[in-house]
Amino acid sequence: MVIECFQDYESVSSRAAELVCEAISENPGGVFGFATGSTPERLYELLVTHYQRGEISFDRLTTVNLDEYIGLAINHEQSYATFMQHHLFGHVNVQPDSIHFPAAVPDPSVFEQLIQNKGGIDLQILGLGSNGHIGFNEPGSPFDSRTRVVSLAPSTIQDNARFFDSIEDVPHQAVTMGIQTIMEARKILLLACGPAKADAVARCLQGPQTEDVPGSCLQAHSDVTVLLDEAASSGLNK
C-alpha cells in the first residue's frame, strides 16, 4: 500500500487525475471502475480538462460503477447514473454502450458476469464513508461478498441527506459491488479528504482487518494507492 498525503483537496484531486491519466494512457482499452460522491468531483473535472486538451481518450474504455440507489429512476437528479453523466461521461468520448452500473433487476450477479466477461477491473477508484464503508458495503459486510442489494446504514443515510431535499427522500437500499469484487481489481485508488474522514482512514489503514470496518480489507490488496489531505490523515500514526 502506498499512502500519499497532500495539503488540501485540490492537491489530492490533481494527483488522482495524474494517476488516472497514466492508467488510461497505459491501457486505453481497459476496464475502469468509478465512484460517486463529493470526493471524486474535482478529479472528474480535471479528467474532463485533460480530455479536452487531447491528452487522454475514453473511446475504448469500459466503465463500471461501484453502486446505484434502488428506488430512483435512472434520470433522477440524485441517481448515480445522472451524477456520472453530469460530472464525467457527458463531457468525454466514452461510448454509451461501454457504461455499466449494477442493477437489482433482473439479478445483481449479471453485473459480476459482465465484469468477468470484460476481463476484470484494471483500476477501481474508491471513496471512503465516515463509517469505513467502500461502495455501499456497510459495516458487517462479508469480505467475500459479491454484487448485491444492501440496506444503507443510518449513518450513510444521514451523510447522504445533504444531496436530497430531506432525509426522508434518501433511498434506504442500493445495489453495490461486493468487497471481493472490489478486491479483485488489479489496482485500487482510494481518495479521502476532510476531518470527517480521519477516524475512518485511521481504522481502515492502520487498524485490524475486520468486517466491522469494510475498508480495512484494502490492507490485504497488493496494489493500492491512498491519497489523503492533511485533515483526513490527521488520525494516522505517521
Side-chain angles (χ1 to χ4, degrees):
M1 180 180 289
V2 175
I3 301 174
E4 300 182 16
C5 299
F6 299 87
Q7 182 175 2
D8 52 29
Y9 174 68
E10 181 68 22
S11 300
V12 168
S13 302
S14 295
R15 176 58 173 157
E18 177 185 336
L19 293 174
V20 174
C21 286
E22 287 177 1
I24 292 174
S25 296
E26 292 171 0
N27 189 6
V31 179
F32 281 60
F34 289 96
T36 54
S38 57
T39 302
E41 285 185 8
R42 181 58 177 154
L43 162 60
Y44 295 155
E45 290 179 3
L46 293 171
L47 291 179
V48 170
T49 298
H50 285 292
Y51 163 74
Q52 291 172 340
R53 291 173 179 167
E55 296 166 355
I56 54 172
S57 176
F58 293 74
D59 66 330
R60 293 172 53 198
L61 286 185
T62 295
T63 77
V64 291
N65 260 74
L66 275 171
D67 42 30
E68 181 58 283
Y69 285 122
I70 292 175
L72 298 185
I74 192 170
N75 59 350
H76 188 283
E77 62 180 0
Q78 293 302 334
S79 77
Y80 287 162
T82 296
F83 176 99
M84 292 304 303
Q85 187 69 18
H86 176 72
H87 290 284
L88 182 61
F89 296 156
H91 307 284
V92 298
N93 62 338
V94 63
Q95 300 300 311
D97 59 358
S98 295
I99 297 170
H100 305 283
F101 286 80
V105 178
D107 184 343
S109 67
V110 171
F111 191 68
E112 289 282 330
Q113 191 60 54
L114 179 144
I115 292 172
Q116 296 301 317
N117 291 345
K118 297 292 183 180
I121 299 170
D122 294 296
L123 173 66
Q124 177 63 58
I125 298 167
L126 294 177
L128 183 67
S130 60
N131 64 2
H133 75 237
I134 51 176
F136 272 135
N137 294 286
E138 301 284 20
S141 295
F143 281 174
D144 63 355
S145 57
R146 294 287 183 179
T147 302
R148 68 205 189 284
V149 173
V150 296
S151 295
L152 305 186
S155 59
T156 299
I157 294 172
Q158 183 65 55
D159 287 347
N160 290 357
R162 67 188 188 276
F163 301 116
F164 293 82
D165 291 337
S166 71
I167 194 169
E168 288 76 20
D169 295 328
V170 183
H172 285 213
Q173 285 190 310
V175 57
T176 184
M177 278 189 201
I179 291 179
Q180 184 63 36
T181 315
I182 294 168
M183 288 290 286
E184 289 175 359
R186 295 176 183 87
K187 294 178 181 289
I188 292 175
L189 179 61
L190 175 69
L191 314 179
C193 295
K197 300 296 176 71
D199 180 63
V201 165
R203 290 187 295 143
C204 287
L205 303 187
Q206 295 183 335
Q209 293 183 53
T210 169
E211 293 177 351
D212 291 334
V213 185
S216 66
C217 69
L218 299 175
Q219 296 178 38
H221 196 280
S222 63
D223 194 344
V224 178
T225 299
V226 181
L227 307 182
L228 308 171
D229 68 359
E230 287 184 354
S233 67
S234 62
L236 292 176
N237 178 358
K238 296 181 176 61

